[in-house]
Amino acid sequence: MCGIMGYVGTRQALPILLDGLRRLEYRGYDSAGVAVLENGTVEVRKSAGKLSVLEGVVAREPLAGRIGIGHTRWATHGKPTDTNAHPHGDCTGRHVVIHNGIIENFLVLRERLQAEGHKFRSDTDTEVLAHLIEAEITKMPADLKDRLAAAVRAAVAQARGAYAIVVLSADQPDRIVAVRMISPLIVGIGDGEMLLASDIPALLPHTRDVLVISDGEMAIIEPGRVRITDLDGRPLARSPERITWDAAMAEKGGYPHFMLKEIGEQPRALHETIMGRLDELHRVELDGVRYPEGFVERLDKVWVVACGTAYHAGLVGRWTIEHLARVPVEPELASELRYRSPLIEGTTLAIAVSQSGETADTLAAAREARAHGSRLLAVTNVVGSTLAREADDVLFIRAGPEIAVASTKAYSTMLVALQMLAVDLGLRRGVLAPARAAELLAGLRHLPVLAQDVLSRSGPVEALAERLAGLEHAFFIGRGLDYAVAMEGSLKLKEISYLHSEALAAGELKHGTLALVTRDTPVFALVTQRAVYEKTIANIQEVRARGAEVIAIAYDDDREIAKHAETVLRIPPVDDLLAPVLAIVPLQLFAYYVAVRRGHDIDQPRNLAKSVTVE
Ligand code: AGP
């Protein structure tokens, strides 16, 4: 998730761009850059690192001009380096592009453009757009009034993916052209000036009148004028809206807390995780994962190492990989692995799961596994993180920056990444029938829509939280994958609500913990695993017999469950292997609403840090 900024008007562009980028820094950054049009020439300054590094660069080499674009990068393709920072130019340096999102078919486009003689400087997917625009604009008649817009339209017609792009060109130095395809883009309407940004906070110092660009729309901004068209160039009539949020709310996209914003971002994040990795022929293509010849066939054990929420994702990964790829998987808490003389060998794959890629325990365990000869595969969110740099293979979860300490969208995207990995391993090992793989991949593709559906059911979850906000103890039970989700649901509640909660394999209750179950200990029962449905119902009966209130998480088509639970939080029916991605959502929301009722600091709970870089 990158930050985009554009300005055209009567003031100097540079300070406005830098201020806007500063306000977008919460979207994550590993590099930044600006381009300003000066005397008919596009001047670019960019650098790896925080915005302050770029500020140092422009202090040494200033830029003057009343039209410009700026970008903070959150890398998806290519390491965070000076060269990979945006803006990216074409061969002539006359056209520059900034971009938020992913161009799925960039490799094919790049090869074609290289064959046509275009010279590439970076490893990014973005650069293909600059060269495509260069190729297209030369085909446009010189007297065509909107030739830049026409060239951009012709370029994006060749690109596949989710993106927002902003283009500045010396050919038409009075305008900026932008296109939105899924990634956010907003026009700010000023007095004799126009702005563009990927989020509203960057616009608020200048205007509260905005036009939110929709998917498949183009915006052409000039001083005092904005035109919106579709991708065939047909003009669209749009009216601005007035923003009434304060700056703090605007940074959170209108949400009161980052955690709620990130819970709400899950459909988009899931979409990005999957995008470009499942092809039409039901194959999985995991960019960044390249096992050596024969490795998968010889593979005799998989270790999953991680901490906290990432470990809980690893537990789902264990179940799914064993089930689909028929290879033993040992999930291990990263802080434990090092001290148990693990039996790790060259025929072993260690999967280290970490949102930040910087968790000290996870890094230590990953290094330990590697030192024993294991191949190391990282599942992480942060391109350029230590884990990503040290691993043999990397599968990025593409969740975008996660700011709240309580991990939500990183968890669900880790699940999907591990599920894709499991299908891929199963197919490569020849133990997963292609028809079953196709079924699962179709299910994965549909998850973002279903996750949106679950989010739309937040009302009953909030009402439940209101009623149970004063509770002191809670239990979460489930079997198989439901048990793994129970662990994550319980952790979410603990870390932001500060109440005692425990997750148990439902069948284990009667071996001790049942003694703690009373009418004052609500029990959340996950009931999505059809193969053990009756067994879980029997466990529900055990707790109800002790007076506990049961809140079940179950499928819409489960007609039985209402007889066994006081409250049922429903999710749409899916393949049981994919259910964790949906079942966690009501539990995340419940934890959030309880913590809000209890008046806690949601985004920075006491005693906890987002990234634990000490052992
Ligand atoms: C969960 O909400 C926590 N933030 C925590 O358990 C976290 O998942 C853990 O510290 C691991 O972090 P990582 O994914 O960045 O390695």
Side-chain angles (χ1 to χ4, degrees), residues 466-479:
E466 176 82 50
R467 188 163 64 74
L468 296 182
L471 84 165
E472 286 311 320
H473 305 277
F475 292 103
F476 288 74
I477 61 169
R479 287 171 175 258

Side-chain angles (χ1 to χ4, degrees), residues 307-310 354-356 359 362 405-407 414 491-492 495 612:
C307 304
T309 289
S354 171
Q355 186 283 131
S356 61
T359 300
T362 307
V405 166
S407 185
M414 281 169 184
L491 178 67
K492 284 287 92 66
E495 69 180 324
V612 186

Side-chain angles (χ1 to χ4, degrees), residues 383-398:
V383 178
S385 60
T386 308
L387 184 63
R389 281 186 276 115
E390 292 188 6
D392 300 295
D393 306 290
V394 190
L395 182 54
F396 290 111
I397 58 175
R398 301 181 187 155

Side-chain angles (χ1 to χ4, degrees), residues 163-179:
Y163 52 81
I165 64 163
V166 178
V167 185
L168 182 66
S169 167
D171 272 29
Q172 294 213 286
D174 56 346
R175 67 195 63 191
I176 296 172
V177 174
V179 175

Side-chain angles (χ1 to χ4, degrees), residues 437-483:
E439 223 171 75
L440 285 163
L441 298 183
L444 279 167
R445 271 204 198 86
H446 199 43
L447 279 178
V449 173
L450 298 183
Q452 191 64 56
D453 181 1
V454 180
L455 284 169
S456 72
R457 308 171 185 205
S458 66
V461 185
E462 190 171 0
L464 181 73
E466 176 82 50
R467 188 163 64 74
L468 296 182
L471 84 165
E472 286 311 320
H473 305 277
F475 292 103
F476 288 74
I477 61 169
R479 287 171 175 258
L481 283 172
D482 279 337
Y483 173 38

Side-chain angles (χ1 to χ4, degrees), residues 31 37 46 69 83 129 149 190 221 271 332 359 398 431 454 519 541 594:
S31 52
L37 244 164
K46 53 186 190 173
I69 59 178
T83 320
L129 295 168
I221 62 167
H271 175 77
E332 182 62 283
T359 300
R398 301 181 187 155
V431 292
V454 180
R519 57 197 297 277
Q541 277 158 357
V594 168

